[in-house]
Amino acid sequence: MEPFPQIPMLSYDVVVIGGGPAGMAAAVRAKELGLNVLLLDENDYLGGILPQCIHPGFGLHYYKEELTGPEFASRLARKLVELGVEYKTAARVLEIKNYSDLEKVVIFTSPTGVYQVWAKAIIYAAGARERHAFEIGIVGDRVSGIYTAGEAQTLMDIYGILPGKEVVIVGSGDVGLIMARRFALEGAKVKAVVELMPYPGGLARNVMILRDFDIPLYLSHKVVEVRGKGRVERVKVVRVDENLNEIPGSEFWISCDTLIISAGLVPNVKKLEAIGVEIDPATGGPVVNDRLETSVPGIFVAGNSLLINDLVDYVAEQGELAAEGAKEFIENGGIESRKWIKVEKGENVRLIAPHYLSGDRDVYLYLRVARPMEDVELRIPEIGRKMRLPVVKPAEMLRVKLKAEEIKNAERLTVEVVEA
Amino acid sequence: MKTKVAIIGAGISGASIARVLSRYENLEVHLIEKAPDVGWGVSKANTALIHGGYDDDPEKYPMRAKLCIGGNRLWHQWVKELEIPHVWNGALIVALKEEDFDELEKLLERGRQNGVPEMRIVDREEVFHLEPNLTREAIGALWVPIVGQIGPIPAVIAITENAVANGVKTHLETEVRGIKVENGEVKGVETNNGFIEADIVINAAGLYADEIARIAGIDYFEIHPRKGEYWLFDDTVPGPRRVLFPTPTPISKGIVVTTEVSGHLMIGPNAQDLPPEEKDNLATTREGLKEVWEGAKKLWPQLPPRSRVIRTFAGLRPEPTGGDFIIKAEEEVWGFINVAGIRSPGLTSAPAIAYEVAEIIKRDLGIELREKSKWNPYRKEITHFFMMTPEQANEAVTKNPAYGKIVCRCNNVSEGDILEAIERMKFIGVKTPSVDSVKFRTKATTGTCQGSFCRPKIIQLLAREYGVEPWKVTLKGKGSEIGIGDVKALLRGEEA
């Protein structure tokens, strides 16, 4: 079987798609496990989004010290190079073909040509995209000065361009808050952070930024309209009630020249959907087992393509786990289990992964609650597991370690977060 | 001696006229446009349909009735000569209640009068055969196989490139401020970039055609803008195979549901009349978008969730006094030809409008038109990486590595595509680098992420190729710059 006889063919045990923290950690681990691995990334440099994250706060778990994004990325990249992992930058995957469990083809283009790579397993770590202004229903004029937070960050921290000087930010998630600080540090006036929910969307340490820089936060508000000629001149803001319905008469305008949209991330999984990988509507990423294998055998997923993480440390951890899964898959010709224990979302759990556990290994569950609560218990009634938590917020991903022996006899697990 | 022709407005009408007139060796054609690039006015935002020509009443709107079907036939040829993206998928005008058939019968009759081939009324069974996912409430439809769709701005670009290759001179970012008339004859146009001498002035100024006419002393008509809004969905959302219309009402053809040329489900437009002074009001509104949503749902009940919306936009149609196209040589001012009020079906009619204008020049102005011995009817489409097979792509990359580097990941647009777009921008005289100029030529920034990944890279390429600072690159012309300076500009107390 030869899909494209005219183009060069390569062959590896595993192809890692994406050179951000998940992909690099996966490639490093795969190499350490003795696999023949190729990493592909579409940017000119490794690191994914990290090189533009020039703020600190990375690596506290993974490296036990606080690093900036570029520092975190360069540590992983250095390891990758030391181990002699093969990688290609400016390499964009065009298509994934799944011929059989151990026969997959990745077609990619690069400045040196188009290639097809045969692989036994694929680790997909292509990150996420940001939701944009049209998707969140903002209407009005089409003008310059509207950017997603990540795009503004790319402009400022990769290319050295200052987008504007009077800024309104939609969304109080981590990325929005960090960009609020970034703009303030460059001398711009951040006129408002506008948050739809009645509570801030980011980690507590990032919400502090607002106080540090004296930036007004409008909770239970949304930006509904942008007006301007060539460039943003003003935005219309409206208050919402507890059901997120707009309150008539509460509209007001804020003048600004820049609108930053930080309304959340969506796992980038189109190429997986195209080969029939099952997607969980709650995470937006694939349904996976405890090796992070998707519903298509031999395709593993890690990082923000799996689910949106708030710490890079978890992203790297998932990359390693996916590599271990790929090793097991290649050695045994598949990921086998006596049975699969289904993980269910119970009360106040908005999303959770992995979705299926084998019960024969320890596992981390990654989950997010739907609404903030104080003084709660995370419970898994089937195994009598209880964990006291002083506070839970949708912004903060919960990570729970389960031991193989405590779950091995369970039929299914329901994870709930309830009043203690 | 050459006859000098100045065409005001490089939209679909002006560009088509320029192309047709470029055929004659005794004409010197100047195409004048106030925007930085071609096709950015009325031609930019519309339903992109090549209509069938069945719904314009030849009694009330003789020009529209004649030129629509004529234009449809010409487009079948022009899309091939100029390699314009297109699809001929046919249209269904859907009946939801028994009374609708009366209207469909009328359209059928009118279509026959106008010379529309192959149209017929189909029953419930056949309508679902033609469009399986249509609303279950459909009871039949008028089937018009000759309807199609094109990329409207790519069409203007293609036509302009071909016109320029055949000797037409463009004047972009050139705003007409006066028209010189002496002894009842036009002598030229005054612009912000100086005087352009002309024996014939063709007014194809879209929404502003009434103002241009008034400058020349002609004031019997007015143009008012009629706004239409649209929703565009991600390319993974399934759309219809045919163009779906509701049965029309007296003011509008109704809200269309279609899969546009690039494969995106698109719904719209509604029709909202604006006062004449709001000719630049292209803002989307919640009311308008809601109206479109409700209207589209009647034909296509399974509209996707909000997370699959990739864009909303609005366009303006120039509605003339009287409702018919105004295409004529004005008697009071010799040499002044109006091509005004080109509302729907203007895109469809454009090639026929262009031949009509050539005819007017011959017949009414008495200018003999001598064909060039060598006129090139062909234009090659820009290279699109996404249209290549892996083998073709590999070959292209081997010759030029830039084709191997993907810039827009949603639509697989390569750096090579973008550099070629920039070359072609320069070829037709685009002076101000803008992301939109690249977008309309390559489809970069039009995918699922709406440019948040690729726009910064496109800005770098534009800045390099035009030799400007990256923050001075614009989104859509002067006043829409990407930034205000380098990242330390405010801290240094400067700003651009």
Side-chain angles (χ1 to χ4, degrees), chain A residues 42 92 114 140 142 144 147 151 160 162 165 186 231 246 270, chain B residues 284 286 311 394 409 436 448 455 476 481-482 484 487-488 495:
Chain A
E42 63 191 12
R92 167 73 182 165
V114 181
R142 187 172 167 270
S144 175
Y147 300 102
E151 185 183 0
L162 189 61
K165 60 178 180 195
E186 295 302 354
R231 185 161 184 112
E246 292 168 27
K270 267 196 177 178
Chain B
T284 52
R286 306 174 93 188
R311 194 167 194 87
N394 191 47
R409 54 166 84 164
D436 271 3
T448 312
R455 206 166 12 231
K476 49 171 193 172
E481 282 72 17
I482 290 305
I484 59 170
V487 80
K488 298 294 173 193
E495 45 181 288

PDB file of all heavy atoms in Angstrom, chain A residues 42 92 114 140 142 144 147 151 160 162 165 186 231 246 270, chain B residues 284 286 311 394 409 436 448 455 476 481-482 484 487-488 495:
ATOM      1  N   GLU A  42       4.673  23.087  12.893  1.00  0.00           N
ATOM      2  CA  GLU A  42       4.460  23.987  11.759  1.00  0.00           C
ATOM      3  C   GLU A  42       5.136  25.346  11.920  1.00  0.00           C
ATOM      4  O   GLU A  42       5.303  26.070  10.955  1.00  0.00           O
ATOM      5  CB  GLU A  42       2.969  24.169  11.505  1.00  0.00           C
ATOM      6  CG  GLU A  42       2.248  24.811  12.656  1.00  0.00           C
ATOM      7  CD  GLU A  42       0.740  24.723  12.477  1.00  0.00           C
ATOM      8  OE1 GLU A  42       0.271  23.989  11.605  1.00  0.00           O
ATOM      9  OE2 GLU A  42       0.038  25.403  13.231  1.00  0.00           O
ATOM     10  N   ARG A  92       4.041  21.253   8.159  1.00  0.00           N
ATOM     11  CA  ARG A  92       2.604  21.276   8.416  1.00  0.00           C
ATOM     12  C   ARG A  92       1.971  19.970   7.951  1.00  0.00           C
ATOM     13  O   ARG A  92       2.141  19.585   6.789  1.00  0.00           O
ATOM     14  CB  ARG A  92       1.988  22.449   7.648  1.00  0.00           C
ATOM     15  CG  ARG A  92       0.485  22.441   7.563  1.00  0.00           C
ATOM     16  CD  ARG A  92      -0.139  22.806   8.881  1.00  0.00           C
ATOM     17  NE  ARG A  92      -1.601  22.746   8.805  1.00  0.00           N
ATOM     18  CZ  ARG A  92      -2.388  22.739   9.876  1.00  0.00           C
ATOM     19  NH1 ARG A  92      -1.872  22.791  11.085  1.00  0.00           N
ATOM     20  NH2 ARG A  92      -3.691  22.686   9.739  1.00  0.00           N
ATOM     21  N   VAL A 114       7.303  17.773   0.171  1.00  0.00           N
ATOM     22  CA  VAL A 114       6.158  17.100   0.778  1.00  0.00           C
ATOM     23  C   VAL A 114       6.575  15.655   1.044  1.00  0.00           C
ATOM     24  O   VAL A 114       7.214  15.030   0.194  1.00  0.00           O
ATOM     25  CB  VAL A 114       4.932  17.160  -0.157  1.00  0.00           C
ATOM     26  CG1 VAL A 114       3.727  16.471   0.474  1.00  0.00           C
ATOM     27  CG2 VAL A 114       4.595  18.607  -0.499  1.00  0.00           C
ATOM     28  N   GLY A 140     -21.373  44.612  14.801  1.00  0.00           N
ATOM     29  CA  GLY A 140     -20.913  45.983  14.595  1.00  0.00           C
ATOM     30  C   GLY A 140     -19.996  46.105  13.402  1.00  0.00           C
ATOM     31  O   GLY A 140     -20.083  45.321  12.462  1.00  0.00           O
ATOM     32  N   ARG A 142     -16.627  46.247  11.021  1.00  0.00           N
ATOM     33  CA  ARG A 142     -15.432  45.432  10.851  1.00  0.00           C
ATOM     34  C   ARG A 142     -14.243  46.375  10.771  1.00  0.00           C
ATOM     35  O   ARG A 142     -14.070  47.089   9.796  1.00  0.00           O
ATOM     36  CB  ARG A 142     -15.543  44.611   9.582  1.00  0.00           C
ATOM     37  CG  ARG A 142     -14.416  43.669   9.492  1.00  0.00           C
ATOM     38  CD  ARG A 142     -14.559  42.714   8.372  1.00  0.00           C
ATOM     39  NE  ARG A 142     -13.264  42.112   8.255  1.00  0.00           N
ATOM     40  CZ  ARG A 142     -12.300  42.601   7.487  1.00  0.00           C
ATOM     41  NH1 ARG A 142     -12.528  43.651   6.754  1.00  0.00           N
ATOM     42  NH2 ARG A 142     -11.125  42.027   7.463  1.00  0.00           N
ATOM     43  N   SER A 144     -10.043  47.435  12.256  1.00  0.00           N
ATOM     44  CA  SER A 144      -8.758  46.997  12.777  1.00  0.00           C
ATOM     45  C   SER A 144      -8.754  47.206  14.292  1.00  0.00           C
ATOM     46  O   SER A 144      -9.454  48.072  14.801  1.00  0.00           O
ATOM     47  CB  SER A 144      -7.662  47.823  12.118  1.00  0.00           C
ATOM     48  OG  SER A 144      -6.424  47.517  12.683  1.00  0.00           O
ATOM     49  N   TYR A 147      -8.378  41.749  18.236  1.00  0.00           N
ATOM     50  CA  TYR A 147      -7.465  40.614  18.207  1.00  0.00           C
ATOM     51  C   TYR A 147      -7.867  39.595  19.263  1.00  0.00           C
ATOM     52  O   TYR A 147      -8.405  39.971  20.301  1.00  0.00           O
ATOM     53  CB  TYR A 147      -6.027  41.060  18.522  1.00  0.00           C
ATOM     54  CG  TYR A 147      -5.485  42.067  17.543  1.00  0.00           C
ATOM     55  CD1 TYR A 147      -5.431  43.410  17.854  1.00  0.00           C
ATOM     56  CD2 TYR A 147      -5.056  41.652  16.291  1.00  0.00           C
ATOM     57  CE1 TYR A 147      -4.951  44.338  16.943  1.00  0.00           C
ATOM     58  CE2 TYR A 147      -4.575  42.566  15.375  1.00  0.00           C
ATOM     59  CZ  TYR A 147      -4.522  43.912  15.706  1.00  0.00           C
ATOM     60  OH  TYR A 147      -4.047  44.815  14.796  1.00  0.00           O
ATOM     61  N   GLU A 151      -3.260  36.242  19.616  1.00  0.00           N
ATOM     62  CA  GLU A 151      -2.729  36.968  18.461  1.00  0.00           C
ATOM     63  C   GLU A 151      -2.037  38.248  18.922  1.00  0.00           C
ATOM     64  O   GLU A 151      -0.946  38.582  18.436  1.00  0.00           O
ATOM     65  CB  GLU A 151      -3.852  37.297  17.475  1.00  0.00           C
ATOM     66  CG  GLU A 151      -3.313  37.937  16.203  1.00  0.00           C
ATOM     67  CD  GLU A 151      -4.407  38.352  15.230  1.00  0.00           C
ATOM     68  OE1 GLU A 151      -5.597  38.152  15.534  1.00  0.00           O
ATOM     69  OE2 GLU A 151      -4.059  38.884  14.172  1.00  0.00           O
ATOM     70  N   GLY A 160       7.119  42.140  18.145  1.00  0.00           N
ATOM     71  CA  GLY A 160       7.445  43.471  18.653  1.00  0.00           C
ATOM     72  C   GLY A 160       6.535  44.590  18.179  1.00  0.00           C
ATOM     73  O   GLY A 160       6.967  45.730  18.016  1.00  0.00           O
ATOM     74  N   LEU A 162       3.123  46.866  18.872  1.00  0.00           N
ATOM     75  CA  LEU A 162       2.139  47.265  19.879  1.00  0.00           C
ATOM     76  C   LEU A 162       0.802  47.531  19.179  1.00  0.00           C
ATOM     77  O   LEU A 162       0.699  48.446  18.366  1.00  0.00           O
ATOM     78  CB  LEU A 162       2.626  48.518  20.611  1.00  0.00           C
ATOM     79  CG  LEU A 162       1.812  48.943  21.831  1.00  0.00           C
ATOM     80  CD1 LEU A 162       1.822  47.866  22.904  1.00  0.00           C
ATOM     81  CD2 LEU A 162       2.365  50.252  22.402  1.00  0.00           C
ATOM     82  N   LYS A 165      -3.388  51.479  22.314  1.00  0.00           N
ATOM     83  CA  LYS A 165      -3.050  52.071  23.617  1.00  0.00           C
ATOM     84  C   LYS A 165      -4.219  52.172  24.587  1.00  0.00           C
ATOM     85  O   LYS A 165      -4.020  52.478  25.756  1.00  0.00           O
ATOM     86  CB  LYS A 165      -2.437  53.455  23.401  1.00  0.00           C
ATOM     87  CG  LYS A 165      -3.347  54.405  22.691  1.00  0.00           C
ATOM     88  CD  LYS A 165      -2.705  55.769  22.558  1.00  0.00           C
ATOM     89  CE  LYS A 165      -3.702  56.625  21.836  1.00  0.00           C
ATOM     90  NZ  LYS A 165      -3.359  57.822  21.286  1.00  0.00           N
ATOM     91  N   GLU A 186       3.454  47.902  29.016  1.00  0.00           N
ATOM     92  CA  GLU A 186       3.987  48.659  27.876  1.00  0.00           C
ATOM     93  C   GLU A 186       3.424  50.066  27.807  1.00  0.00           C
ATOM     94  O   GLU A 186       3.598  50.768  26.817  1.00  0.00           O
ATOM     95  CB  GLU A 186       3.727  47.917  26.559  1.00  0.00           C
ATOM     96  CG  GLU A 186       4.452  46.582  26.435  1.00  0.00           C
ATOM     97  CD  GLU A 186       5.979  46.663  26.556  1.00  0.00           C
ATOM     98  OE1 GLU A 186       6.522  47.788  26.633  1.00  0.00           O
ATOM     99  OE2 GLU A 186       6.616  45.594  26.607  1.00  0.00           O
ATOM    100  N   ARG A 231     -10.674  51.831  12.539  1.00  0.00           N
ATOM    101  CA  ARG A 231     -10.168  51.169  13.724  1.00  0.00           C
ATOM    102  C   ARG A 231     -11.228  51.206  14.825  1.00  0.00           C
ATOM    103  O   ARG A 231     -12.108  52.039  14.790  1.00  0.00           O
ATOM    104  CB  ARG A 231      -8.949  51.966  14.176  1.00  0.00           C
ATOM    105  CG  ARG A 231      -8.271  51.356  15.278  1.00  0.00           C
ATOM    106  CD  ARG A 231      -6.863  51.775  15.540  1.00  0.00           C
ATOM    107  NE  ARG A 231      -6.529  50.900  16.629  1.00  0.00           N
ATOM    108  CZ  ARG A 231      -5.667  49.928  16.550  1.00  0.00           C
ATOM    109  NH1 ARG A 231      -4.952  49.766  15.485  1.00  0.00           N
ATOM    110  NH2 ARG A 231      -5.477  49.128  17.577  1.00  0.00           N
ATOM    111  N   GLU A 246     -29.350  39.374  29.005  1.00  0.00           N
ATOM    112  CA  GLU A 246     -28.991  40.788  29.079  1.00  0.00           C
ATOM    113  C   GLU A 246     -30.065  41.589  29.807  1.00  0.00           C
ATOM    114  O   GLU A 246     -31.259  41.338  29.624  1.00  0.00           O
ATOM    115  CB  GLU A 246     -28.801  41.336  27.668  1.00  0.00           C
ATOM    116  CG  GLU A 246     -27.595  40.725  27.013  1.00  0.00           C
ATOM    117  CD  GLU A 246     -27.513  41.015  25.529  1.00  0.00           C
ATOM    118  OE1 GLU A 246     -28.053  42.050  25.100  1.00  0.00           O
ATOM    119  OE2 GLU A 246     -26.924  40.182  24.822  1.00  0.00           O
ATOM    120  N   LYS A 270      -9.587  19.030  14.264  1.00  0.00           N
ATOM    121  CA  LYS A 270     -10.224  18.775  12.964  1.00  0.00           C
ATOM    122  C   LYS A 270      -9.624  17.571  12.236  1.00  0.00           C
ATOM    123  O   LYS A 270     -10.333  16.797  11.623  1.00  0.00           O
ATOM    124  CB  LYS A 270     -10.104  20.003  12.078  1.00  0.00           C
ATOM    125  CG  LYS A 270     -11.303  20.929  12.189  1.00  0.00           C
ATOM    126  CD  LYS A 270     -11.307  21.906  11.032  1.00  0.00           C
ATOM    127  CE  LYS A 270     -12.543  22.782  11.093  1.00  0.00           C
ATOM    128  NZ  LYS A 270     -12.562  23.763  10.023  1.00  0.00           N
TER     129      LYS A 270
ATOM    130  N   THR B 284     -22.828  44.997  11.209  1.00  0.00           N
ATOM    131  CA  THR B 284     -23.835  43.969  11.451  1.00  0.00           C
ATOM    132  C   THR B 284     -24.658  44.380  12.666  1.00  0.00           C
ATOM    133  O   THR B 284     -24.190  45.132  13.519  1.00  0.00           O
ATOM    134  CB  THR B 284     -23.169  42.606  11.746  1.00  0.00           C
ATOM    135  OG1 THR B 284     -22.202  42.773  12.778  1.00  0.00           O
ATOM    136  CG2 THR B 284     -22.500  42.041  10.511  1.00  0.00           C
ATOM    137  N   ARG B 286     -27.725  42.955  15.617  1.00  0.00           N
ATOM    138  CA  ARG B 286     -28.317  41.746  16.204  1.00  0.00           C
ATOM    139  C   ARG B 286     -29.689  41.494  15.601  1.00  0.00           C
ATOM    140  O   ARG B 286     -30.075  40.352  15.370  1.00  0.00           O
ATOM    141  CB  ARG B 286     -28.408  41.915  17.701  1.00  0.00           C
ATOM    142  CG  ARG B 286     -27.048  42.267  18.255  1.00  0.00           C
ATOM    143  CD  ARG B 286     -27.140  42.582  19.697  1.00  0.00           C
ATOM    144  NE  ARG B 286     -26.878  41.363  20.438  1.00  0.00           N
ATOM    145  CZ  ARG B 286     -27.027  41.267  21.748  1.00  0.00           C
ATOM    146  NH1 ARG B 286     -27.496  42.278  22.432  1.00  0.00           N
ATOM    147  NH2 ARG B 286     -26.729  40.151  22.359  1.00  0.00           N
ATOM    148  N   ARG B 311     -18.179  33.638  10.883  1.00  0.00           N
ATOM    149  CA  ARG B 311     -18.194  35.032  10.520  1.00  0.00           C
ATOM    150  C   ARG B 311     -19.624  35.518  10.324  1.00  0.00           C
ATOM    151  O   ARG B 311     -20.475  34.768   9.875  1.00  0.00           O
ATOM    152  CB  ARG B 311     -17.427  35.234   9.216  1.00  0.00           C
ATOM    153  CG  ARG B 311     -17.098  36.658   8.941  1.00  0.00           C
ATOM    154  CD  ARG B 311     -16.084  36.802   7.824  1.00  0.00           C
ATOM    155  NE  ARG B 311     -15.597  38.159   7.857  1.00  0.00           N
ATOM    156  CZ  ARG B 311     -14.585  38.554   8.610  1.00  0.00           C
ATOM    157  NH1 ARG B 311     -13.947  37.704   9.353  1.00  0.00           N
ATOM    158  NH2 ARG B 311     -14.206  39.812   8.608  1.00  0.00           N
ATOM    159  N   ASN B 394       4.616  18.768  -3.958  1.00  0.00           N
ATOM    160  CA  ASN B 394       6.030  18.436  -3.823  1.00  0.00           C
ATOM    161  C   ASN B 394       6.846  19.049  -4.961  1.00  0.00           C
ATOM    162  O   ASN B 394       7.935  19.579  -4.755  1.00  0.00           O
ATOM    163  CB  ASN B 394       6.197  16.914  -3.795  1.00  0.00           C
ATOM    164  CG  ASN B 394       7.594  16.502  -3.398  1.00  0.00           C
ATOM    165  OD1 ASN B 394       8.137  17.026  -2.428  1.00  0.00           O
ATOM    166  ND2 ASN B 394       8.190  15.604  -4.159  1.00  0.00           N
ATOM    167  N   ARG B 409      -3.215  27.918   8.482  1.00  0.00           N
ATOM    168  CA  ARG B 409      -3.374  26.488   8.724  1.00  0.00           C
ATOM    169  C   ARG B 409      -4.807  26.021   8.490  1.00  0.00           C
ATOM    170  O   ARG B 409      -5.025  24.862   8.186  1.00  0.00           O
ATOM    171  CB  ARG B 409      -2.917  26.125  10.133  1.00  0.00           C
ATOM    172  CG  ARG B 409      -3.579  26.944  11.221  1.00  0.00           C
ATOM    173  CD  ARG B 409      -3.361  26.326  12.582  1.00  0.00           C
ATOM    174  NE  ARG B 409      -2.084  26.701  13.160  1.00  0.00           N
ATOM    175  CZ  ARG B 409      -1.814  26.544  14.442  1.00  0.00           C
ATOM    176  NH1 ARG B 409      -2.711  26.025  15.261  1.00  0.00           N
ATOM    177  NH2 ARG B 409      -0.655  26.904  14.924  1.00  0.00           N
ATOM    178  N   ASP B 436      -6.467  42.400   3.994  1.00  0.00           N
ATOM    179  CA  ASP B 436      -7.623  42.041   3.161  1.00  0.00           C
ATOM    180  C   ASP B 436      -7.222  41.755   1.714  1.00  0.00           C
ATOM    181  O   ASP B 436      -7.798  40.874   1.078  1.00  0.00           O
ATOM    182  CB  ASP B 436      -8.682  43.153   3.195  1.00  0.00           C
ATOM    183  CG  ASP B 436      -9.674  42.948   4.338  1.00  0.00           C
ATOM    184  OD1 ASP B 436      -9.484  41.992   5.114  1.00  0.00           O
ATOM    185  OD2 ASP B 436     -10.632  43.734   4.443  1.00  0.00           O
ATOM    186  N   THR B 448     -11.476  28.579  10.107  1.00  0.00           N
ATOM    187  CA  THR B 448     -12.081  28.390  11.429  1.00  0.00           C
ATOM    188  C   THR B 448     -11.548  29.372  12.464  1.00  0.00           C
ATOM    189  O   THR B 448     -12.298  29.865  13.293  1.00  0.00           O
ATOM    190  CB  THR B 448     -11.801  26.948  11.912  1.00  0.00           C
ATOM    191  OG1 THR B 448     -12.111  26.060  10.844  1.00  0.00           O
ATOM    192  CG2 THR B 448     -12.644  26.589  13.118  1.00  0.00           C
ATOM    193  N   ARG B 455      -2.526  35.823  10.728  1.00  0.00           N
ATOM    194  CA  ARG B 455      -2.448  37.257  10.429  1.00  0.00           C
ATOM    195  C   ARG B 455      -1.089  37.855  10.776  1.00  0.00           C
ATOM    196  O   ARG B 455      -0.509  38.590   9.963  1.00  0.00           O
ATOM    197  CB  ARG B 455      -3.594  38.004  11.117  1.00  0.00           C
ATOM    198  CG  ARG B 455      -3.976  39.298  10.424  1.00  0.00           C
ATOM    199  CD  ARG B 455      -5.315  39.850  10.910  1.00  0.00           C
ATOM    200  NE  ARG B 455      -5.785  39.172  12.093  1.00  0.00           N
ATOM    201  CZ  ARG B 455      -7.000  38.652  12.226  1.00  0.00           C
ATOM    202  NH1 ARG B 455      -7.882  38.768  11.271  1.00  0.00           N
ATOM    203  NH2 ARG B 455      -7.347  38.034  13.336  1.00  0.00           N
ATOM    204  N   LYS B 476      -7.402  47.000   6.141  1.00  0.00           N
ATOM    205  CA  LYS B 476      -8.179  47.264   4.923  1.00  0.00           C
ATOM    206  C   LYS B 476      -7.962  48.706   4.451  1.00  0.00           C
ATOM    207  O   LYS B 476      -8.918  49.400   4.145  1.00  0.00           O
ATOM    208  CB  LYS B 476      -9.649  46.990   5.185  1.00  0.00           C
ATOM    209  CG  LYS B 476     -10.183  47.651   6.446  1.00  0.00           C
ATOM    210  CD  LYS B 476     -11.687  47.535   6.539  1.00  0.00           C
ATOM    211  CE  LYS B 476     -12.207  48.456   7.608  1.00  0.00           C
ATOM    212  NZ  LYS B 476     -13.646  48.556   7.664  1.00  0.00           N
ATOM    213  N   GLU B 481      -4.568  50.605  10.482  1.00  0.00           N
ATOM    214  CA  GLU B 481      -3.245  50.042  10.712  1.00  0.00           C
ATOM    215  C   GLU B 481      -3.310  48.961  11.792  1.00  0.00           C
ATOM    216  O   GLU B 481      -4.151  49.006  12.688  1.00  0.00           O
ATOM    217  CB  GLU B 481      -2.248  51.142  11.121  1.00  0.00           C
ATOM    218  CG  GLU B 481      -1.736  51.980   9.959  1.00  0.00           C
ATOM    219  CD  GLU B 481      -2.790  52.938   9.386  1.00  0.00           C
ATOM    220  OE1 GLU B 481      -3.801  53.200  10.078  1.00  0.00           O
ATOM    221  OE2 GLU B 481      -2.608  53.420   8.252  1.00  0.00           O
ATOM    222  N   ILE B 482      -2.377  48.027  11.692  1.00  0.00           N
ATOM    223  CA  ILE B 482      -2.343  46.878  12.595  1.00  0.00           C
ATOM    224  C   ILE B 482      -1.921  47.271  14.005  1.00  0.00           C
ATOM    225  O   ILE B 482      -2.348  46.692  14.986  1.00  0.00           O
ATOM    226  CB  ILE B 482      -1.354  45.838  12.001  1.00  0.00           C
ATOM    227  CG1 ILE B 482      -1.953  45.222  10.744  1.00  0.00           C
ATOM    228  CG2 ILE B 482      -0.918  44.810  13.003  1.00  0.00           C
ATOM    229  CD1 ILE B 482      -3.312  44.608  10.912  1.00  0.00           C
ATOM    230  N   ILE B 484       0.261  50.583  16.591  1.00  0.00           N
ATOM    231  CA  ILE B 484       0.578  52.008  16.700  1.00  0.00           C
ATOM    232  C   ILE B 484       2.082  52.262  16.749  1.00  0.00           C
ATOM    233  O   ILE B 484       2.521  53.405  16.801  1.00  0.00           O
ATOM    234  CB  ILE B 484      -0.096  52.650  17.930  1.00  0.00           C
ATOM    235  CG1 ILE B 484       0.344  51.954  19.221  1.00  0.00           C
ATOM    236  CG2 ILE B 484      -1.606  52.593  17.789  1.00  0.00           C
ATOM    237  CD1 ILE B 484      -0.108  52.700  20.476  1.00  0.00           C
ATOM    238  N   VAL B 487       6.805  47.782  20.112  1.00  0.00           N
ATOM    239  CA  VAL B 487       6.195  47.470  21.403  1.00  0.00           C
ATOM    240  C   VAL B 487       6.591  48.468  22.510  1.00  0.00           C
ATOM    241  O   VAL B 487       5.904  48.600  23.507  1.00  0.00           O
ATOM    242  CB  VAL B 487       6.504  45.986  21.765  1.00  0.00           C
ATOM    243  CG1 VAL B 487       7.889  45.828  22.334  1.00  0.00           C
ATOM    244  CG2 VAL B 487       5.441  45.414  22.675  1.00  0.00           C
ATOM    245  N   LYS B 488       7.664  49.209  22.295  1.00  0.00           N
ATOM    246  CA  LYS B 488       8.089  50.176  23.310  1.00  0.00           C
ATOM    247  C   LYS B 488       7.686  51.619  22.960  1.00  0.00           C
ATOM    248  O   LYS B 488       8.130  52.562  23.624  1.00  0.00           O
ATOM    249  CB  LYS B 488       9.615  50.108  23.496  1.00  0.00           C
ATOM    250  CG  LYS B 488      10.122  48.757  23.991  1.00  0.00           C
ATOM    251  CD  LYS B 488       9.638  48.455  25.401  1.00  0.00           C
ATOM    252  CE  LYS B 488       9.995  47.038  25.814  1.00  0.00           C
ATOM    253  NZ  LYS B 488       9.279  46.618  27.041  1.00  0.00           N
ATOM    254  N   GLU B 495       4.139  57.638  19.552  1.00  0.00           N
ATOM    255  CA  GLU B 495       3.238  56.674  18.944  1.00  0.00           C
ATOM    256  C   GLU B 495       3.009  57.058  17.506  1.00  0.00           C
ATOM    257  O   GLU B 495       3.013  58.230  17.164  1.00  0.00           O
ATOM    258  CB  GLU B 495       1.924  56.580  19.704  1.00  0.00           C
ATOM    259  CG  GLU B 495       1.408  57.941  20.053  1.00  0.00           C
ATOM    260  CD  GLU B 495       0.115  57.884  20.817  1.00  0.00           C
ATOM    261  OE1 GLU B 495      -0.891  57.545  20.198  1.00  0.00           O
ATOM    262  OE2 GLU B 495       0.143  58.200  22.018  1.00  0.00           O
TER     263      GLU B 495
END
